[in-house]
Amino acid sequence: MARPRSDINDRVLAAAAARFLHDGVDGASLREIARDAGTSVGMVSYYFPTKDDLFVAVVEDKYRKVLDDISAALAPDAAFETQVLRLYTRLGAMSDDEFRVMRLVMREALVASPRMPQLVQRFSEGHIPVVLAAIARAMLGGEVRDDVHPALLVASLFAMGAAPQVFRRLVLPMMPVGVEFPSPDEIARTMRDLLLHGLAKKV
C-alpha cells in the first residue's frame, strides 16, 4: 500500500536535514537522502527538483513554526523585558529538529553559501520585521536606549539569546562528567537581564 505524500515529504525532509548537516548541502548525495528516507531518487526529485529546493524546504519546514512563536513572544501585550524573556525561553526550548536547521543556516552563513541571499530574503519577510517592530515600540516607549542603531539592537538581541543556548547544546555533551551549566530557562533569564541591564556591577 502506497504511503501518502505527506509521509514521504516528512521523511525526505528529515533525511535531507541530517545529510546536509553531516556532509554539507553541496556534498550531500540525493541518492543517499532518498535511501535514508526509504524512497527513490525520482520521488525526491519529483517533489524537490533541485538540491537547493530541497534545502529551502528543509529550512522552511521548521522556520514556519519558529516564526509563529517568535511573533507570539514579541507580541505587544507586555513590557519589552517580558517579550525578551519569552523570546529567549522559546529559543532555549528548540526541538532537536529545529536546532539542526539552525545549525544548517549557521553553516551556510559561515561559508558564504550562494543559498544565503534566498535565506536572507525569507528572513527579511519573516522574523526580522517582527523583531524590528518590537524594538521600535520599545524605543518609542522609552524601554531601551534610543542612541543605539536599531540594527545593532537586533544583532545584540539575537546574539544574547541564541549564542548561549547554542553553546549549551553543542558544548555541554562534551564536558567532563560533573560539570554543570545553567538550564535553558536560567540562561533565558540571565541573558535577558544582561541584555537590558548590562554586566557592570551596580554601585
Side-chain angles (χ1 to χ4, degrees), residues 2-40:
R3 287 187 171 95
R5 172 184 171 175
S6 59
D7 181 41
I8 295 174
N9 191 68
D10 290 346
R11 287 185 288 121
V12 169
L13 292 177
R19 279 288 165 189
F20 289 160
L21 190 58
H22 185 269
D23 301 329
V25 178
D26 293 322
S29 161
L30 288 179
R31 187 172 302 280
E32 290 180 337
I33 290 171
R35 184 195 64 209
D36 294 346
T39 188
S40 66

Side-chain angles (χ1 to χ4, degrees), residues 58-165:
V58 165
V59 174
E60 186 67 25
D61 180 54
K62 302 305 174 191
Y63 181 63
R64 286 192 302 267
K65 169 64 173 162
V66 172
L67 175 57
D68 287 344
D69 291 346
I70 289 175
S71 299
L74 296 178
D77 61 346
F80 185 64
E81 198 160 331
T82 299
Q83 295 174 37
V84 172
L85 180 58
R86 293 189 306 207
L87 174 64
Y88 286 3
T89 300
R90 174 60 180 86
L91 292 176
M94 279 184 295
S95 69
D96 290 342
D97 289 339
E98 290 168 346
F99 185 59
R100 181 182 297 120
V101 170
M102 174 185 263
R103 290 174 62 193
L104 283 174
V105 171
M106 291 167 57
R107 173 185 281 182
E108 291 292 292
L110 288 172
V111 301
S113 159
R115 289 167 288 275
M116 273 311 295
Q118 188 172 356
L119 290 178
V120 170
Q121 178 64 34
R122 176 65 179 103
F123 298 157
S124 296
E125 298 166 353
H127 69 275
I128 291 176
V130 173
V131 174
L132 285 172
I135 287 175
R137 290 192 303 267
M139 292 176 74
L140 289 172
E143 296 181 271
V144 297
R145 291 170 51 178
D146 59 5
D147 61 332
V148 179
H149 194 285
L152 297 180
L153 291 177
V154 171
S156 298
L157 182 67
F158 273 105
M160 295 288 282
Q165 301 289 4

